Amino acid sequence: MVVVFACVASPSLARPVVEENKTVVDDIEKCWAAVIGASGCIQDVFSSFFTGRISLGPQCCTAIEGISDNCFSKIFPFLGANFNPLLKAFWIAQSGTAPPPTA
């Protein structure tokens, strides 16, 4: 009840929260766009995590290497901070080339 009153009484107090949430949502959408286009990538990531055996298709590897660790943690926050570097290391071992740096 107090929160509603504060937002009604002073909309300027609510604006930064709304703008901040919109920015977070926009960031997450951009991150998802990187992996959603790679057929089967989300399933590959989850399967790799839950089975403990990394198995990524080429499209998924390309998508994963193109996103930053920060971006990865936004779309897969429950997988832990070390899982994306582990996936990238798998791709390096499979392809024999280092991925390009990510922003």
Side-chain angles (χ1 to χ4, degrees):
M1 192 75 146
V2 174
V3 174
V4 173
F5 177 74
C7 291
V8 172
S10 179
S12 64
L13 292 176
R15 188 171 301 126
V17 174
V18 171
E19 289 175 4
E20 180 179 310
N21 287 341
K22 183 175 177 356
T23 301
V24 170
V25 170
D26 289 345
D27 287 348
I28 292 171
E29 287 177 357
K30 289 176 189 173
C31 294
W32 271 117
V35 294
I36 205 89
S39 181
C41 189
I42 295 169
Q43 293 86 352
D44 287 352
V45 171
F46 282 119
S47 177
S48 295
F49 180 76
F50 288 117
T51 64
R53 195 178 118 233
I54 298 175
S55 178
L56 304 175
Q59 286 183 328
C60 187
C61 284
T62 301
I64 295 294
E65 74 182 8
I67 63 174
S68 68
D69 293 342
N70 183 41
C71 194
F72 188 88
S73 67
K74 287 180 182 176
I75 58 177
F76 300 112
F78 44 86
L79 296 182
N82 295 324
F83 198 64
N84 190 33
L86 185 63
L87 295 177
K88 289 181 180 185
F90 168 83
W91 178 240
I92 291 169
Q94 293 298 310
S95 68
T97 61
T102 56

